[in-house]
Amino acid sequence: MASMLLGSFSLASSLTAGSYVTKASWYKTKKIQNEYLIIRHQQQHNLKHHYRCIEAASTSKERGRSYSVTAASGESFEYEHQDPRPKSLLVSTKDSLNTFFRFTRPVGMIATAINIISGSLLAVENLSDISPTFFIGLLKAMAVILPMHIYNVGLNTLTDFEIDKINKPNLPMASGEYSLGTVTIIVASSLILSFGLGWIVGSLPLLWVISFNFIFSSAYSMKLPLLRWKRSSVLTAINYIVDRGIMFNLGLFLHMKTYVFKRSTMYPRSLIFAIVFMSIFGIVIALFKDIPDIEGDEKFGIRTLAVCLGPKWVFWFCISLLEMAYGAAILFVGATSSFLWSKLITGLGHAFLASILWYHAKSVDVKSKEETFSFYILIWKMLMAECFILPFVR
């Protein structure tokens, strides 16, 4: 009996011990599995972080390629970056318009539009002339002239493609956003549109404006015998004087005076002043625009005044010329006006512009392409400001 009890006790002990061993093994196995899963999860997390770093550092040309990374466990993972959402029609249209806007050289386009308004206002004799008839004539002038501006910059883009890669690499054609075929279509379409609308409108002075602009801009840019005037600073200055200084302002004045208002031609002092002052601005722009482009011009053998005499000499010559023009405007135009409001606006306005020009000129490093280009844009802004003053010259 005792032996039976002892055997039973031994069997129970062995079963209990076996049970404890089994449970311990199970818990140990479970612990190992959990640790493995944690390590596995950590590796995947690190791998995803690594992919995000690769994606952030990749360039636009590298997008779409596959990346293969080998994990520490020896397994291979592949990641292929693709844009999950294609551009919407609205975004694509916005990008296209932005590219076209940059192609038109927006500073020049805006300055041309403001100059059209200013030249048209020179024909206004009293406030009653500011009527729907005036605005219709103004819109016709805009519709005819602005496409010709696009032709000008487009033709210059075609002929200066290699130079722009150095001087203006952000332009659509130089950067590869526009192809040669695209720019050619834009240039041809703009030219046809300008002359077509000019013919439909039927204003002879507007046809003069776009015809002279077409001839002089083509002579400035085209690589043909006796042309390519941009190679000479003197010919470039003559181009600006005749085209933008004389024909542009005279043509717009006659368009409003004879075609819109149907009046006899009389040439007021405001028109003479506008022609003279805009011609001076034309000379300054023709010379100054070459300062930021010295590197490309030298490489392609374009002997501008900035290349021959140096940027510093041309810079201060342009500043001096503009300052003298502002001084003459104050003394001989503003001070001699018979209207008090004209004296105040033209006198104080030109004094203010002269002080701004001198203030900014003193801090420009003429050896810096970025600073001289920024100042070149400022000169265009000064021209726009002058366009607002011109109609008040009486």
Side-chain angles (χ1 to χ4, degrees), residues 67 111-112 161-162 195 223 227-228 265 321 330 340 394:
Y67 294 89
T112 300
F161 174 60
E162 296 297 333
F195 276 107
K223 298 178 182 179
L227 300 182
R228 191 68 169 166
T265 304
L321 190 59
I330 295 171
L340 179 60
R394 300 293 173 180

Side-chain angles (χ1 to χ4, degrees), residues 220 229-238 240-241 279-294 297 303-322 372 376 379-380:
Y220 173 81
W229 288 5
K230 73 169 296 173
R231 291 178 295 188
S232 168
S233 296
V234 175
L235 291 176
T236 300
I238 293 174
Y240 274 81
I241 291 171
S279 296
I280 295 174
F281 255 109
I283 295 173
V284 170
I285 290 174
L287 298 179
F288 202 98
K289 72 177 183 58
D290 297 325
I291 297 178
D293 295 343
I294 284 181
D297 291 344
R303 306 295 295 172
T304 62
L305 209 60
V307 172
C308 297
L309 301 178
K312 185 176 181 179
W313 189 92
V314 175
F315 179 89
W316 286 110
F317 175 78
C318 292
I319 299 301
S320 301
L321 190 59
L322 275 182
T372 52
Y376 173 66
I379 291 177
W380 275 103

Side-chain angles (χ1 to χ4, degrees), residues 38-48 71-73 77:
I38 291 172
I39 294 172
R40 182 72 171 181
H41 178 74
Q42 185 65 34
Q43 287 179 343
Q44 291 178 350
H45 174 76
N46 292 338
L47 192 58
K48 289 180 179 178
S73 60
F77 299 90

Side-chain angles (χ1 to χ4, degrees), residues 120-245:
S120 300
L121 286 171
L122 294 176
V124 172
E125 297 178 1
N126 48 64
L127 290 178
S128 62
D129 288 338
I130 308 297
S131 62
T133 301
F134 170 82
F135 287 108
I136 292 173
L138 178 62
L139 289 176
K140 289 179 178 179
M142 290 274 191
V144 172
I145 296 175
L146 290 182
M148 185 58 70
H149 168 80
I150 298 174
Y151 165 79
N152 295 342
V153 298
L155 180 63
N156 190 255
T157 297
L158 287 174
T159 56
D160 284 0
F161 174 60
E162 296 297 333
I163 302 177
D164 287 342
K165 287 182 178 180
I166 300 174
N167 292 338
K168 302 178 182 71
N170 61 321
L171 292 179
M173 187 173 176
S175 64
E177 295 172 88
Y178 275 175
S179 65
L180 175 64
T182 300
V183 176
T184 302
I185 291 172
I186 293 175
V187 170
S189 301
S190 300
L191 182 63
I192 294 171
L193 181 63
S194 181
F195 276 107
L197 290 176
W199 182 263
I200 293 172
V201 169
S203 172
L204 188 58
L206 284 184
L207 288 173
W208 291 350
V209 172
I210 59 175
S211 296
F212 272 88
N213 193 245
F214 165 70
I215 293 170
F216 279 89
S217 62
S218 299
Y220 173 81
S221 297
M222 286 186 174
K223 298 178 182 179
L224 295 174
L226 302 179
L227 300 182
R228 191 68 169 166
W229 288 5
K230 73 169 296 173
R231 291 178 295 188
S232 168
S233 296
V234 175
L235 291 176
T236 300
I238 293 174
N239 186 316
Y240 274 81
I241 291 171
V242 176
D243 181 26
R244 296 301 296 262

Side-chain angles (χ1 to χ4, degrees), residues 329-330 334-335 340-355 389:
I330 295 171
L340 179 60
W341 54 268
S342 179
K343 289 178 184 242
L344 293 175
I345 295 175
T346 56
L348 294 177
H350 286 110
F352 178 69
L353 293 178
S355 62
I389 298 176

